[in-house]
Amino acid sequence: MGLLLLTALVMEMPPKLVSESEVQAIAASFARALWGETQPAGYRLCEDVHGQPAAYLCEELLQNGARVLIAVGARADLPPILFYHPPDTTRARDADPVTKIVIHTLGQHDVRQIALVYYSPFDIWSEYEAGQERIMVSLRTLEVCEPAKVRNAEPLACNSELVPVFAQQKATLLSGAVIGGQAGHRWISSVPDWDWHYGCAPTAAANVLAYWDLKGYDLLIDSILRNMPDRFEKDLDSVPNISHQLAIAMNTDTVHSGNTATESIPLGIQAVCSDPVWGNCYNFTSYLTWRGKELVKNEVDSGRPGVLVVIGHPEYGNHALTYCGWGPPSSDWIMVHDEWAGTPRDRVIYYDFGGRVAVVPVVPSEPVPEQPEPSDSVSTFPNPVRKVLNIAGRHGPGIAEVYDSAGRWVMRCAVTESGQINVSGLSAGAYVLRLDWRDSAPATGRFVVTSQNHGR
């Protein structure tokens, strides 16, 4: 049985601390082995939620002027390298915007930082005080909260059986070597990085589908109506329509929180990739597993990025990212893209950082031959239409489903024996039609309702 990671109870005896000299040596050794000669550029201590040492954020300056940020575990019960940013992705968000938020929130200019709180590779909080008031600001999202909301959470910790493994890894790094050797990694190139839209899960999945769009599956990114204007795609915000399609298929809360049920992520990916209603006819496979470190390695080795879901802070929820590599030092560390503006997009994290992690692979296959092409599969007339739409060459009985230009379901009705559909209840605009027949595969068509239907 694999090692399980548990939420730690408050320990009676504090874990052994790693000395500051060892921390600096580990960071320098790791950076030097991967990127050549470096110079230390400072380090800062992060506490855990109970105020105990958790991680050191160490900066190393490379010879080409780039900086790398390396988070080194401050205790023996944590891995020696918690996460790092590859060169030129630089640091987490600069402190200046955080300070401005603190000054604005507290209404005072005389503020001081009193702590950095590490909860996971994605949850680092900066605590400030001014007079008798204290607040915390997320370095990832710039969210402001009461310190008690972070301090009252249970600290995350790895299973005690991993402690000897961490000790061996630390000894290897202190000897000047890299765990697994310098070649112990694989990163997938050309995986896009999109800014957040609609929710983290649709955005992370859109990164993956955009990658496959570049690899020849060329109907995954554009609108379901490729040759028609789509206000969700380019006219307003330059958001590729795939993000919106995924949000609909995943039942993402796009109005309030951006949250998506973890179990809905693979179902939404498959719906968008494999259903001609969305303009795609590819038979993609996607599924969910909760213990997937080896699965991530195997998927990356096969050239397939996917979605990683981290179940993190109990007060501030969970997060979905795109995984696109592993190591270095080894496959215990994985590379992820994070679309939040406050964090570098590329980050290599220790997989078993203490929280639950779900892996959602995305596996493409060849287009299904019997599925209709995403261009018009059936002809409709009249087009544009006012009241009654005719299906050329087809007769009922059948079921019709109608979707608007944003991919939203708007109507379901029966097709008459003569192959007609009553669309008089639809507003003016462009629509996609999916037809399900008893004796043949589903087909798609397109039609436009004229503005004369307004005022009916």
Side-chain angles (χ1 to χ4, degrees):
M1 178 179 291
L3 296 175
L4 298 178
L5 297 172
L6 306 176
T7 300
L9 300 176
V10 177
M11 301 179 184
E12 294 183 2
M13 295 294 293
K16 181 181 177 181
L17 300 180
V18 180
S19 69
E20 292 187 30
S21 60
E22 287 181 317
V23 166
Q24 295 179 72
I26 289 172
S29 173
F30 180 73
R32 182 170 55 251
L34 295 181
W35 300 297
E37 290 301 317
T38 66
Q39 293 182 351
Y43 62 94
R44 294 175 292 170
L45 174 64
C46 290
E47 304 173 351
D48 66 12
V49 293
H50 286 171
Q52 299 300 312
Y56 282 90
L57 302 183
C58 303
E59 281 192 305
E60 294 289 326
L61 181 64
L62 307 188
Q63 288 184 314
N64 63 1
R67 291 174 181 261
V68 292
L69 179 67
I70 304 169
V72 179
R75 304 195 307 252
D77 62 338
L78 293 172
I81 304 293
L82 292 165
F83 68 85
Y84 65 91
H85 305 152
D88 297 326
T89 53
T90 63
R91 309 170 237 189
R93 182 182 289 272
D94 185 81
D96 185 58
V98 177
T99 303
K100 290 179 180 178
I101 289 173
V102 172
I103 291 173
H104 176 76
T105 303
L106 296 178
Q108 300 184 49
H109 287 272
D110 186 17
V111 300
R112 67 186 187 95
Q113 185 187 55
I114 59 174
L116 283 173
V117 178
Y118 171 88
Y119 189 79
S120 80
F122 312 101
D123 290 304
I124 298 179
W125 299 79
S126 186
E127 187 171 9
Y128 287 81
E129 72 173 4
Q132 300 299 314
E133 293 186 81
R134 292 187 178 185
I135 62 171
M136 280 188 170
V137 180
S138 166
L139 298 185
R140 177 168 65 93
T141 65
L142 298 184
E143 178 183 1
V144 177
C145 71
E146 295 294 328
K149 288 188 176 182
V150 176
R151 296 291 188 185
N152 290 340
E154 285 293 328
L156 296 181
C158 297
N159 188 292
S160 59
E161 294 180 52
L162 290 172
V163 173
V165 177
F166 300 152
Q168 184 179 17
Q169 292 172 344
K170 184 180 75 172
T172 301
L173 288 167
L174 288 173
S175 71
V178 177
I179 307 162
Q182 281 186 292
H185 75 282
R186 177 168 181 183
W187 296 345
I188 302 175
S189 61
S190 70
V191 178
D193 288 316
W194 288 3
D195 288 336
W196 186 96
H197 285 290
Y198 306 116
C200 59
T203 305
N207 283 342
V208 179
L209 299 193
Y211 170 81
W212 288 113
D213 186 84
L214 295 172
K215 296 293 183 180
Y217 294 81
D218 59 356
L219 295 174
L220 290 177
I221 296 306
D222 206 349
S223 164
I224 53 176
L225 303 174
R226 266 187 173 251
N227 298 319
M228 300 182 66
D230 179 0
R231 68 184 181 89
F232 286 101
E233 185 183 353
K234 294 177 180 176
D235 293 349
L236 293 182
D237 55 9
S238 299
V239 179
N241 204 33
I242 190 67
S243 301
H244 195 246
Q245 293 174 359
L246 285 164
I248 295 170
M250 294 178 183
N251 293 314
T252 300
D253 179 3
T254 60
V255 177
H256 301 291
S257 65
N259 289 342
T260 306
T262 303
E263 294 76 12
S264 298
I265 297 174
L267 299 177
I269 292 172
Q270 289 189 135
V272 170
C273 292
S274 308
D275 192 334
V277 166
W278 297 102
N280 309 316
C281 298
Y282 301 119
N283 188 24
F284 275 61
T285 300
S286 187
Y287 56 95
L288 176 71
T289 179
W290 286 100
R291 283 177 286 185
K293 181 170 64 178
E294 287 304 312
L295 178 61
V296 169
K297 182 181 185 301
N298 292 338
E299 287 297 294
V300 170
D301 287 347
S302 299
R304 296 192 293 259
V307 177
L308 188 80
V309 182
V310 293
I311 308 302
H313 200 289
E315 285 287 342
Y316 301 102
N318 314 318
H319 192 38
L321 312 97
T322 304
Y323 67 78
C324 53
W326 60 265
S330 70
S331 60
D332 287 338
W333 285 261
I334 61 172
M335 173 177 271
V336 294
H337 288 342
D338 190 5
E339 68 274 4
W340 286 105
T343 53
R345 296 185 186 278
D346 294 338
R347 178 177 290 197
V348 181
I349 67 170
Y350 184 73
Y351 181 89
D352 294 325
F353 63 84
R356 298 180 71 202
V357 179
V359 177
V360 182
V362 179
V363 182
S365 63
E366 294 301 317
V368 181
E370 63 269 18
Q371 292 290 340
E373 292 295 330
S375 57
D376 289 343
S377 299
V378 294
S379 297
T380 59
F381 66 93
N383 198 357
V385 62
R386 295 184 185 183
K387 295 182 179 180
V388 177
L389 185 70
N390 295 276
I391 312 300
R394 299 301 297 264
H395 299 281
I399 298 296
E401 289 189 324
V402 179
Y403 297 79
D404 66 13
S405 61
R408 294 173 296 208
W409 178 89
V410 294
M411 187 178 78
R412 177 183 174 91
C413 63
V415 181
T416 67
E417 287 289 342
S418 58
Q420 294 181 326
I421 302 169
N422 188 334
V423 296
S424 61
L426 298 177
S427 301
Y431 294 92
V432 173
L433 177 69
R434 175 186 170 118
L435 298 166
D436 284 318
W437 307 97
R438 291 181 180 177
D439 58 350
S440 61
T444 58
R446 295 174 173 81
F447 65 95
V448 175
V449 176
T450 65
S451 59
Q452 289 154 311
N453 270 356
H454 283 165
R456 62 185 182 274

